[in-house]
Amino acid sequence: MAERKIKIIDSNNGLESELPVLEASEGPSTIDISSLYRDFDCFTYDPGFMATASCKSAITYIDGDKGILRYRGYPIEDLAENCKFLEVAYLLLYGNLPTADELENFEQRITQHTLINENLKSFFSGFHYDAHPMAVMTGVVGSLSAFYHDNIDINNPEDRDLAAIRLVAKMPTIAAACFKRLRGEPFVYPQNDLDYSSNFLRMMFAQPTEQYEADPVMTRAIDLLFILHADHEQNASTSTVRLVGSSGSNPFAAVAAGIASLWGPAHGGANEAVLNMLDMIGSIQNIPKFIDRAKDKDDPFRLMGFGHRVYKNYDPRAAIIRKICHEVLGKLGDHGDPQLELAMKLEEIALQDEYFVERKLYPNVDFYSGIIYRALGIPTNMFTVMFTIGRTIGWISHWTEMISDPRLRIGRPRQLYIGPTQQAFRQIGER
Ligand code: SDX
């Protein structure tokens, strides 16, 4: 089939050019605009990158209108139903589902790297007593680059792979240490005979004074939540990791930048913001008042956990999380959780309201996850830390895909300059 081209005509001066169309394996094609500046002396303008592809990627596919999410072509529903988190992590990083032997070897490699350098532990005590755990995560993960900076050659595939293993392995240990710091409790070391999520729960909730064994329902719920949060195409934090990594900085610093971006309430910080919002709403009777506030353009209040840049249909992850939510609360006997009842009523009312229906604002992944975390005894300010653990594999898979591309160039967007034209300098006495 002949290559598809898009003709661009500058009606002012009759200039015209044909831009090649790059076809996707699925979803929208893209117009290659790299010749636009040369031919028309113009940049494109797309604040928020609403319609701009920043890269080619083979990792995750999303169809926002159909509510589709696939990791390496596998529907999220199938992966959530049949896999454990490290199986999905292998898929995202290496591009294929592992055999039993491959998975066992991958799990052993992760297990061997779950400890953090003892000197790293002193970083935690340097933070103010009430520092937000996401501030601690950003700082401590960024400091990993100080521990591994010398022995990583990002052009060496083995070094890249070791960095990926280290990040996936150490994130739960660092996250649990953030929680223990908050509680003033001793850190709990990882245990090599436990699986990834059981190990994490033990590091979070075990006490030196008694035995701890993670509830299998809680372990499965956490493992599922890590799967659902693992990757999501070129979201803000993943794009941050790619942009930082494109300069050749080491992957630990790039992932620390991704953590900083995820922290924002418009992004991964929304799960914490949902619970704070439910606390603010307080009762079912108050819901209409807050729905009105969410619709008021003069009011900065937004319905946290609703809406999505890509999904203009129900977020497929939210549908799965909603089911886990009921299972966990049913098992932990907190089914009468006022927050869940409030959340369900809020969802029901919002989904019938013209404003939300017209704008296709559905509950997203963050709407229910916070309620599950709370039921598991995880405090609200740790919710985005939980998102960080799941998303680390997505970040490092995109970083690996980018860095291993020989055509990699540093990311350096341009701008539409609207500032002052040249001005004559005036000495301070003349201003
Ligand atoms: C995540 O990108 C990803 O993939 C992210 C993520 C991932 O896995 O990485 O999926 C995780 O970040 C999920 C999103 C979590 N954030 C929230 O729940 C915060 C609340 N949601 C909004 O802030 C908002 O919906 C965004 C940021 C998620 C999306 O913003 P967009 O795409 O820029 O949409 P928009 O702001 O242009 O909204 C379009 C309209 C506007 O109204 P009009 O100007 O058309 O009249 O919808 C309104 C907005 O005011 N709107 C909302 C709303 N979200 C959008 N109104 C009330 N409440 C909301 N939550």
Side-chain angles (χ1 to χ4, degrees), residues 50 62 228-229 231-238 262 264-271 274 294-295 297 301-312 315 317 355-356 359 361 364-366 387 391:
M50 305 279 280
I62 301 171
L228 296 174
H229 287 84
D231 192 52
H232 215 238
E233 196 209 75
Q234 305 307 323
N235 58 85
S237 54
T238 300
L262 186 72
H267 187 14
N271 53 19
V274 166
K295 298 193 277 191
K297 295 303 169 204
F301 177 78
R302 286 282 177 277
L303 222 43
M304 290 291 108
F306 278 80
H308 197 277
R309 168 60 57 76
V310 175
Y311 287 124
K312 300 309 175 190
D315 183 333
R317 301 167 296 176
Y355 174 95
F356 291 88
R359 288 166 182 77
L361 302 176
N364 56 47
V365 66
D366 295 298
F387 198 147
R391 186 53 55 91

Side-chain angles (χ1 to χ4, degrees), residues 357-429:
V357 172
E358 195 180 282
R359 288 166 182 77
K360 300 183 178 180
L361 302 176
Y362 294 94
N364 56 47
V365 66
D366 295 298
F367 186 67
Y368 285 101
S369 52
I371 295 163
I372 299 175
Y373 294 143
R374 213 168 71 98
L376 298 178
I378 295 169
T380 306
N381 62 5
M382 280 286 293
F383 289 178
T384 313
V385 173
M386 297 299 292
F387 198 147
T388 301
I389 300 173
R391 186 53 55 91
T392 295
I393 184 61
W395 289 330
I396 200 64
S397 297
H398 280 273
W399 177 83
T400 302
E401 180 180 66
M402 175 184 71
I403 294 292
S404 49
D405 180 347
R407 295 183 307 276
L408 168 65
R409 307 182 72 178
I410 188 169
R412 204 279 186 214
R414 302 303 304 270
Q415 63 179 10
L416 174 68
Y417 178 69
I418 55 170
T421 53
Q422 184 170 347
Q423 303 186 65
F425 183 78
R426 289 174 292 150
Q427 294 301 333
I428 193 162

Side-chain angles (χ1 to χ4, degrees), residues 197-208:
S197 296
S198 304
N199 215 353
F200 168 66
L201 287 171
R202 184 177 171 280
M203 290 189 281
M204 284 280 286
F205 297 114
Q207 300 291 349

Side-chain angles (χ1 to χ4, degrees), residues 23-51:
E23 300 299 344
S25 54
E26 193 155 10
S29 304
T30 59
I31 303 170
D32 179 348
I33 57 167
S34 47
S35 63
L36 208 59
Y37 181 43
R38 181 197 65 212
D39 297 351
F40 291 84
D41 192 28
C42 279
F43 298 139
T44 57
Y45 180 66
D46 182 19
F49 309 112
M50 305 279 280

Side-chain angles (χ1 to χ4, degrees), residues 212-379:
Y212 175 86
E213 192 163 333
D215 177 306
V217 171
M218 288 170 70
T219 301
R220 181 56 189 153
I222 289 290
D223 212 57
L224 261 176
L225 286 164
F226 288 160
I227 290 173
L228 296 174
H229 287 84
D231 192 52
H232 215 238
E233 196 209 75
Q234 305 307 323
N235 58 85
S237 54
T238 300
S239 299
T240 301
V241 171
R242 280 181 172 262
L243 191 57
V244 170
S246 71
S247 69
S249 64
N250 79 56
F252 303 99
V255 165
I259 295 173
S261 169
L262 186 72
W263 190 5
H267 187 14
N271 53 19
E272 176 177 356
V274 166
L275 266 291
N276 295 337
M277 175 188 71
L278 292 174
D279 285 340
M280 192 163 58
I281 294 175
S283 71
I284 289 176
Q285 292 70 24
N286 290 338
I287 289 178
K289 179 173 67 174
F290 281 89
I291 294 266
D292 290 341
R293 283 190 58 190
K295 298 193 277 191
D296 177 357
K297 295 303 169 204
D298 297 326
D299 189 329
F301 177 78
R302 286 282 177 277
L303 222 43
M304 290 291 108
F306 278 80
H308 197 277
R309 168 60 57 76
V310 175
Y311 287 124
K312 300 309 175 190
N313 191 324
Y314 211 84
D315 183 333
R317 301 167 296 176
I320 299 169
I321 288 186
R322 193 170 190 269
K323 184 166 164 281
I324 305 168
C325 199
H326 287 283
E327 284 167 11
V328 167
L329 292 170
K331 162 80 180 178
L332 298 182
D334 198 11
H335 212 260
D337 174 22
Q339 295 287 25
L340 176 70
E341 287 168 12
L342 186 56
M344 300 293 283
K345 193 65 184 167
L346 177 63
E347 180 193 27
E348 180 194 323
I349 295 172
L351 292 186
Q352 290 163 12
D353 184 288
E354 186 50 35
Y355 174 95
F356 291 88
V357 172
E358 195 180 282
R359 288 166 182 77
K360 300 183 178 180
L361 302 176
Y362 294 94
N364 56 47
V365 66
D366 295 298
F367 186 67
Y368 285 101
S369 52
I371 295 163
I372 299 175
Y373 294 143
R374 213 168 71 98
L376 298 178
I378 295 169

